[in-house]
Amino acid sequence: MPLSPEEENQIREEMGQMHGDASQAEQGPQLFPLNENSSVKHVIGVISGKGGVGKSLVTGILATELSRHGASVGILDADITGPSIPKMFGLSDQTVTAEGNNMVPCTTTNGIKVMSTNLLLEQEDDPVLWRGPILGGALQQFWGQTNWGNLDFMLVDMPPGTGDVALTVFQSLPIEGVIIVSSPQDLVQMVVGKAVKMAGMMEVPILGLVENMAYLTCPHCGEKIEPYGPSRARETAEHYDLDFLGQLPIDPSFATMCDAGRIEQDLPANLIPEAIAAILASAAVMDALRQ
């Protein structure tokens, strides 16, 4: 059910109050500044309406494929309380370092730069027991007080849902577009709808929809099996007027390579080429507008 005008106004006022003054919501987002040692051409968010759908996996796939295309890539792991990017890229035993007043992100085998709370903790399984304002401050440091260098793409692995941290990312980082990740379940259309409406309220373009865990392939006969029932991804994409960017299967090799920290080395090529094409096309448009 669409939000009423009164509900939309209330949400906008609350978002403005998060930054100290409700009138700021009318003035537009108050973006976190970058430091003088950093330059980021394009910022793409990866979002979902709920947790557990593979948003971090999709972020890792996109980052790896963009890097293989020759782009310089960074990942800002905005899932502060549930980070999984460092382990996926084999960075579990690394920590960020300092350079002057700024932090230096960790770098993967193939040169992807990563900033995540797990790179600040003594033990990767230590809980992050921070309240909303501290989470927002961490995001500001991850973005503005980290020496990212010169990046073509920054991928932001968003926290699930539509809470404080997600709102802070949308308001405070220069997100050019988002990719929504879903799974093939009956609730998918409602959950995707939440993400779609949030992006719309923040006036951020949606590059398309990726469906994870869509099917599995029988190792004996090669039959495609849909354990959650027939996919509704295309139907959902059409309902919200989104581009459908493809499906990812249930594949044990994904878990194996991520657990081993080898996504860059072992990721099959062209898993979701439509998603890469959507990102590159969006970047080309933005580059043209800046000229």
Side-chain angles (χ1 to χ4, degrees):
M1 179 181 297
L3 294 175
S4 68
E6 292 77 13
E7 290 172 322
E8 290 189 4
N9 288 335
Q10 181 180 356
I11 291 174
R12 290 191 176 96
E13 288 177 2
E14 290 174 354
M15 290 188 295
Q17 290 167 2
M18 286 174 57
H19 291 270
D21 189 279
S23 64
Q24 289 183 3
E26 300 175 359
Q27 300 171 5
Q30 305 299 303
L31 298 179
F32 293 150
L34 270 176
N35 61 74
E36 61 184 10
N37 300 314
S38 302
S39 172
V40 180
K41 291 182 180 178
H42 305 286
V43 184
I44 305 296
V46 182
I47 68 175
S48 63
K50 68 181 185 70
V53 299
K55 173 180 46 59
S56 295
L57 173 64
V58 171
T59 301
I61 292 172
L62 296 177
T64 299
E65 289 290 358
L66 287 169
S67 178
R68 289 174 178 177
H69 277 72
S72 55
V73 182
I75 301 176
L76 193 161
D77 191 353
D79 194 353
I80 303 290
T81 59
S84 54
I85 292 294
K87 184 175 181 65
M88 189 181 302
F89 283 90
L91 300 175
S92 294
D93 60 346
Q94 297 192 30
T95 57
V96 300
T97 56
E99 188 174 87
N101 293 324
N102 295 329
M103 296 179 289
V104 178
C106 294
T107 303
T108 69
T109 302
N110 293 339
I112 297 172
K113 297 180 180 181
V114 177
M115 191 64 198
S116 170
T117 49
N118 261 21
L119 301 175
L120 300 170
L121 303 175
E122 290 187 8
Q123 302 292 331
E124 66 175 0
D125 59 353
D126 287 344
V128 179
L129 305 176
W130 298 347
R131 294 188 183 276
I134 299 178
L135 295 175
L139 282 175
Q140 184 171 7
Q141 289 184 311
F142 285 3
W143 171 258
Q145 292 180 254
T146 299
N147 290 343
W148 290 104
N150 297 319
L151 296 181
D152 295 315
F153 292 96
M154 172 79 76
L155 298 183
V156 182
D157 184 12
M158 300 273 281
T162 56
D164 282 357
V165 178
L167 285 173
T168 300
V169 171
F170 271 118
Q171 283 198 309
S172 304
L173 300 185
I175 304 287
E176 292 181 4
V178 296
I179 287 178
I180 298 177
V181 183
S182 71
S183 59
Q185 298 167 347
D186 287 341
L187 291 174
V188 64
Q189 195 167 97
M190 180 270 289
V191 171
V192 169
K194 291 180 180 290
V196 168
K197 291 179 180 179
M198 182 178 189
M201 292 182 68
M202 298 294 100
E203 299 182 348
V204 174
I206 300 173
L207 304 184
L209 176 70
V210 172
E211 184 181 53
N212 187 33
M213 300 181 286
Y215 61 90
L216 59 87
T217 302
C218 176
H220 303 292
C221 67
E223 179 186 358
K224 183 181 288 189
I225 302 168
E226 297 178 312
Y228 297 108
S231 170
R232 299 182 60 192
R234 290 187 183 277
E235 172 190 333
T236 301
E238 291 175 1
H239 179 78
Y240 290 107
D241 195 24
L242 305 176
D243 290 331
F244 180 55
L245 301 179
Q247 296 175 313
L248 290 170
I250 299 172
D251 190 332
S253 69
F254 290 174
T256 299
M257 70 182 178
C258 290
D259 289 345
R262 292 184 53 84
I263 186 170
E264 290 177 296
Q265 296 85 349
D266 298 343
L267 182 72
N270 295 322
L271 277 177
I272 40 177
E274 298 90 344
I276 297 297
I279 291 175
L280 295 177
S282 174
V285 170
M286 295 304 299
D287 286 338
L289 290 175
R290 293 188 180 111
Q291 293 178 358

